[in-house]
Amino acid sequence: MSDWQSWAAIAVFVGAYALIISEKVHRVAAALGGAGLMLAIGATDDGAAFYSDETGIDWNVVFLLMGMMMIVGVLRRTGLFEYLAIWSVKKARARPFRVMAMLVVITAMASALLDNVTTVLLVAPVTLLVCDRLRLAPVPFLIAEVLAANIGGTATLVGDPPNIIIASRAGLTFNDFLIHLAPLCVVLVAVLVLLCRVMFAKHFVYDEKRAAEIMELREREAITEPRLLAQGLGVLALVVAGFVLHPVLHYEPSVVALLGAGLLIAISKVETGEVLGEVEWPTLAFFAGLFVMVGALIGTGVIGDLAGSLADAIGGDELGGSMLLLGGSAVLSGLVDNIPYVATMAPITSQLVTAMGGDDPDHVMWWALALGADLGGNATAIGASANVVVLGIAERNRHPISFWEFTKYGLVVTVVTVALSALYLWLRYFALA
């Protein structure tokens, strides 16, 4: 990392990050400006930025988001989210904390079965309507849900994109993740519910009159276009099946989402322009800029040098190494998106596992990497893809979430969950092994 481009790339990234944190400049402008500067100084080029699997824009993420945003946009027209909002509030007896707890658990479970990005795209509109009905500030509920999505997504191979990268490199199966990570994630979701009770206590204001009005509502009356709803749910079911059957069909989630969006537009009478209007284009542009900046850090060797230094510090010490990898991954994944970080760290972890004499695919180092990267994504507003998506949805609905507002809660949850993960790794793979 001795050449000037590496240091220039670091300066550009730090500068863009500072602008995002300070919110003096809109985060999309900061990310795209940073990406442009990376191209201008030669830290990356068009081939690396747009076509490289390792250092370029992750088009699978971009088109997965685009396809699902289109499907969600069509479903929103049917009254489905209004129906679910009324139903959930009535089930929780209109008690704000019960509503949050229920949404947190549902989000975590759905994130494990689908993926955390798809889940927040589906749950966030319901949450906005729930809070509108109860006249509550939606920001705490949205933050709690995205934290739950990242924790729930940790439990399975398909729940969080970094897990897919780790599984591919280590040869892990869906069942491996269930056996090794799901039990911990159940505990972490329960802990998150308790933390929410403390962190957001002042927002749980119960309005008895408003609650009584909601309890008298009939949720079925919220459905305005039953035919379109049937079409939308049918397509959504096919899309979810495509996600689950990925090991058999070998279609990337982005392809499945785009096929689903195209099918839904084709069989319904919704105008294509109206559907495209539902896409969160600023969010997609932010992702593109962020991927280019992080890709430049990878291409110039900055991320590789950081990962290599981490590997050198670990050496052959399994216990110390797993703890360092867990903590280091949590910190780095909070600073850069966890997808490119894991893509860089996975081959290094493979070398570490081999050096430690481990030939089992379910070596503790892989679980340390997965937990650190997935849970560390909760630390900041740009640590994970789901975070960025929710910030975009909130801003579009005139409930903007600042970088620091998210981070002050995300950091607390990250510290607690990573600490519990460290205890879990020590107990399961060392003390009780």
Tab-separated table of all heavy atoms in Angstrom, residues 57-69 254 258 279 281 283-289 291:
chain	number	residue	atom	x	y	z
A	57	ILE	N	-19.584	-2.892	-9.161
A	57	ILE	CA	-20.929	-2.797	-8.610
A	57	ILE	C	-21.548	-4.182	-8.568
A	57	ILE	O	-21.481	-4.930	-9.544
A	57	ILE	CB	-21.801	-1.863	-9.477
A	57	ILE	CG1	-21.223	-0.445	-9.474
A	57	ILE	CG2	-23.243	-1.852	-8.989
A	57	ILE	CD1	-21.894	0.493	-10.461
A	58	ASP	N	-22.128	-4.544	-7.458
A	58	ASP	CA	-22.788	-5.845	-7.337
A	58	ASP	C	-24.174	-5.729	-7.968
A	58	ASP	O	-25.150	-5.364	-7.310
A	58	ASP	CB	-22.885	-6.255	-5.861
A	58	ASP	CG	-23.280	-7.707	-5.691
A	58	ASP	OD1	-24.005	-8.229	-6.569
A	58	ASP	OD2	-22.885	-8.331	-4.693
A	59	TRP	N	-24.254	-6.028	-9.243
A	59	TRP	CA	-25.518	-5.879	-9.956
A	59	TRP	C	-26.581	-6.832	-9.442
A	59	TRP	O	-27.786	-6.566	-9.588
A	59	TRP	CB	-25.289	-6.092	-11.462
A	59	TRP	CG	-24.410	-5.053	-12.064
A	59	TRP	CD1	-23.151	-5.224	-12.561
A	59	TRP	CD2	-24.706	-3.658	-12.229
A	59	TRP	NE1	-22.633	-4.025	-13.012
A	59	TRP	CE2	-23.580	-3.057	-12.830
A	59	TRP	CE3	-25.806	-2.867	-11.937
A	59	TRP	CZ2	-23.528	-1.700	-13.129
A	59	TRP	CZ3	-25.764	-1.513	-12.233
A	59	TRP	CH2	-24.640	-0.939	-12.823
A	60	ASN	N	-26.168	-7.953	-8.848
A	60	ASN	CA	-27.160	-8.860	-8.255
A	60	ASN	C	-27.943	-8.160	-7.151
A	60	ASN	O	-29.165	-8.329	-7.039
A	60	ASN	CB	-26.482	-10.114	-7.702
A	60	ASN	CG	-26.188	-11.137	-8.781
A	60	ASN	OD1	-27.027	-11.386	-9.644
A	60	ASN	ND2	-24.998	-11.706	-8.749
A	61	VAL	N	-27.257	-7.390	-6.331
A	61	VAL	CA	-27.922	-6.643	-5.262
A	61	VAL	C	-28.812	-5.556	-5.857
A	61	VAL	O	-29.974	-5.388	-5.460
A	61	VAL	CB	-26.882	-6.020	-4.305
A	61	VAL	CG1	-27.556	-5.077	-3.321
A	61	VAL	CG2	-26.130	-7.111	-3.563
A	62	VAL	N	-28.284	-4.801	-6.813
A	62	VAL	CA	-29.027	-3.692	-7.412
A	62	VAL	C	-30.309	-4.183	-8.079
A	62	VAL	O	-31.400	-3.624	-7.867
A	62	VAL	CB	-28.148	-2.936	-8.429
A	62	VAL	CG1	-28.976	-1.903	-9.192
A	62	VAL	CG2	-26.980	-2.252	-7.719
A	63	PHE	N	-30.210	-5.242	-8.890
A	63	PHE	CA	-31.390	-5.710	-9.616
A	63	PHE	C	-32.344	-6.514	-8.740
A	63	PHE	O	-33.545	-6.571	-9.016
A	63	PHE	CB	-30.970	-6.499	-10.851
A	63	PHE	CG	-30.442	-5.628	-11.960
A	63	PHE	CD1	-29.132	-5.746	-12.393
A	63	PHE	CD2	-31.252	-4.665	-12.538
A	63	PHE	CE1	-28.646	-4.930	-13.401
A	63	PHE	CE2	-30.775	-3.847	-13.549
A	63	PHE	CZ	-29.467	-3.973	-13.983
A	64	LEU	N	-31.825	-7.140	-7.687
A	64	LEU	CA	-32.714	-7.771	-6.709
A	64	LEU	C	-33.591	-6.694	-6.066
A	64	LEU	O	-34.820	-6.857	-5.953
A	64	LEU	CB	-31.901	-8.492	-5.628
A	64	LEU	CG	-32.677	-8.930	-4.382
A	64	LEU	CD1	-33.744	-9.966	-4.734
A	64	LEU	CD2	-31.732	-9.478	-3.315
A	65	LEU	N	-32.965	-5.597	-5.662
A	65	LEU	CA	-33.718	-4.498	-5.053
A	65	LEU	C	-34.723	-3.908	-6.042
A	65	LEU	O	-35.884	-3.675	-5.702
A	65	LEU	CB	-32.755	-3.406	-4.587
A	65	LEU	CG	-31.886	-3.731	-3.378
A	65	LEU	CD1	-30.854	-2.637	-3.173
A	65	LEU	CD2	-32.724	-3.899	-2.139
A	66	MET	N	-34.291	-3.701	-7.254
A	66	MET	CA	-35.161	-3.109	-8.256
A	66	MET	C	-36.387	-3.986	-8.511
A	66	MET	O	-37.529	-3.503	-8.508
A	66	MET	CB	-34.388	-2.901	-9.561
A	66	MET	CG	-35.211	-2.296	-10.677
A	66	MET	SD	-34.204	-2.050	-12.170
A	66	MET	CE	-35.487	-1.601	-13.343
A	67	GLY	N	-36.171	-5.285	-8.694
A	67	GLY	CA	-37.281	-6.194	-8.946
A	67	GLY	C	-38.257	-6.260	-7.796
A	67	GLY	O	-39.480	-6.194	-7.989
A	68	MET	N	-37.731	-6.352	-6.579
A	68	MET	CA	-38.604	-6.452	-5.412
A	68	MET	C	-39.331	-5.135	-5.149
A	68	MET	O	-40.483	-5.128	-4.698
A	68	MET	CB	-37.802	-6.873	-4.180
A	68	MET	CG	-37.262	-8.299	-4.235
A	68	MET	SD	-38.539	-9.541	-4.597
A	68	MET	CE	-39.638	-9.322	-3.202
A	69	MET	N	-38.669	-4.006	-5.413
A	69	MET	CA	-39.334	-2.711	-5.251
A	69	MET	C	-40.522	-2.596	-6.206
A	69	MET	O	-41.572	-2.038	-5.849
A	69	MET	CB	-38.344	-1.575	-5.507
A	69	MET	CG	-37.343	-1.331	-4.391
A	69	MET	SD	-36.096	-0.090	-4.855
A	69	MET	CE	-35.099	-0.056	-3.356
A	254	SER	N	-31.462	-11.971	-8.103
A	254	SER	CA	-31.766	-10.810	-8.938
A	254	SER	C	-32.560	-11.215	-10.170
A	254	SER	O	-33.510	-10.522	-10.570
A	254	SER	CB	-30.474	-10.114	-9.357
A	254	SER	OG	-29.611	-11.023	-10.036
A	258	LEU	N	-36.423	-9.997	-11.007
A	258	LEU	CA	-36.746	-9.308	-12.257
A	258	LEU	C	-37.771	-10.089	-13.079
A	258	LEU	O	-38.679	-9.502	-13.685
A	258	LEU	CB	-35.484	-9.078	-13.084
A	258	LEU	CG	-34.539	-7.985	-12.575
A	258	LEU	CD1	-33.294	-7.910	-13.452
A	258	LEU	CD2	-35.239	-6.629	-12.557
A	279	VAL	N	-39.839	2.515	-7.697
A	279	VAL	CA	-38.463	2.103	-7.408
A	279	VAL	C	-37.734	3.231	-6.678
A	279	VAL	O	-37.829	4.403	-7.049
A	279	VAL	CB	-37.716	1.747	-8.711
A	279	VAL	CG1	-36.245	1.431	-8.425
A	279	VAL	CG2	-38.386	0.563	-9.396
A	281	TRP	N	-34.947	4.913	-6.674
A	281	TRP	CA	-33.760	5.137	-7.497
A	281	TRP	C	-32.597	5.755	-6.724
A	281	TRP	O	-31.437	5.370	-6.950
A	281	TRP	CB	-34.129	6.007	-8.703
A	281	TRP	CG	-35.118	5.352	-9.627
A	281	TRP	CD1	-36.426	5.684	-9.812
A	281	TRP	CD2	-34.888	4.212	-10.472
A	281	TRP	NE1	-37.026	4.825	-10.709
A	281	TRP	CE2	-36.100	3.916	-11.142
A	281	TRP	CE3	-33.772	3.413	-10.728
A	281	TRP	CZ2	-36.235	2.882	-12.048
A	281	TRP	CZ3	-33.896	2.367	-11.634
A	281	TRP	CH2	-35.099	2.109	-12.290
A	283	THR	N	-31.729	5.198	-3.707
A	283	THR	CA	-31.105	4.106	-2.948
A	283	THR	C	-30.214	3.266	-3.848
A	283	THR	O	-29.092	2.899	-3.473
A	283	THR	CB	-32.185	3.217	-2.307
A	283	THR	OG1	-32.962	4.007	-1.405
A	283	THR	CG2	-31.559	2.057	-1.544
A	284	LEU	N	-30.687	2.962	-5.047
A	284	LEU	CA	-29.892	2.168	-5.987
A	284	LEU	C	-28.638	2.934	-6.403
A	284	LEU	O	-27.549	2.345	-6.535
A	284	LEU	CB	-30.726	1.809	-7.217
A	284	LEU	CG	-31.993	0.982	-6.969
A	284	LEU	CD1	-32.630	0.575	-8.293
A	284	LEU	CD2	-31.698	-0.257	-6.139
A	285	ALA	N	-28.773	4.239	-6.608
A	285	ALA	CA	-27.609	5.056	-6.973
A	285	ALA	C	-26.597	5.097	-5.838
A	285	ALA	O	-25.378	5.053	-6.071
A	285	ALA	CB	-28.067	6.477	-7.327
A	286	PHE	N	-27.087	5.161	-4.604
A	286	PHE	CA	-26.183	5.156	-3.453
A	286	PHE	C	-25.399	3.848	-3.390
A	286	PHE	O	-24.187	3.851	-3.163
A	286	PHE	CB	-26.987	5.342	-2.163
A	286	PHE	CG	-26.147	5.311	-0.913
A	286	PHE	CD1	-25.389	6.409	-0.550
A	286	PHE	CD2	-26.101	4.189	-0.114
A	286	PHE	CE1	-24.599	6.390	0.601
A	286	PHE	CE2	-25.323	4.149	1.031
A	286	PHE	CZ	-24.571	5.261	1.390
A	287	PHE	N	-26.090	2.736	-3.594
A	287	PHE	CA	-25.408	1.441	-3.612
A	287	PHE	C	-24.325	1.414	-4.690
A	287	PHE	O	-23.212	0.927	-4.451
A	287	PHE	CB	-26.405	0.306	-3.864
A	287	PHE	CG	-27.007	-0.253	-2.619
A	287	PHE	CD1	-28.361	-0.152	-2.383
A	287	PHE	CD2	-26.227	-0.892	-1.672
A	287	PHE	CE1	-28.925	-0.672	-1.230
A	287	PHE	CE2	-26.771	-1.410	-0.515
A	287	PHE	CZ	-28.133	-1.303	-0.293
A	288	ALA	N	-24.654	1.900	-5.874
A	288	ALA	CA	-23.690	1.886	-6.966
A	288	ALA	C	-22.435	2.664	-6.585
A	288	ALA	O	-21.308	2.191	-6.776
A	288	ALA	CB	-24.324	2.465	-8.234
A	289	GLY	N	-22.620	3.864	-6.040
A	289	GLY	CA	-21.475	4.664	-5.628
A	289	GLY	C	-20.662	4.004	-4.535
A	289	GLY	O	-19.423	4.004	-4.569
A	291	PHE	N	-20.446	0.774	-3.837
A	291	PHE	CA	-19.731	-0.391	-4.372
A	291	PHE	C	-18.480	0.028	-5.145
A	291	PHE	O	-17.436	-0.629	-5.044
A	291	PHE	CB	-20.651	-1.204	-5.288
A	291	PHE	CG	-21.580	-2.134	-4.557
A	291	PHE	CD1	-22.938	-2.143	-4.839
A	291	PHE	CD2	-21.101	-3.010	-3.599
A	291	PHE	CE1	-23.803	-2.996	-4.176
A	291	PHE	CE2	-21.955	-3.873	-2.923
A	291	PHE	CZ	-23.309	-3.868	-3.208
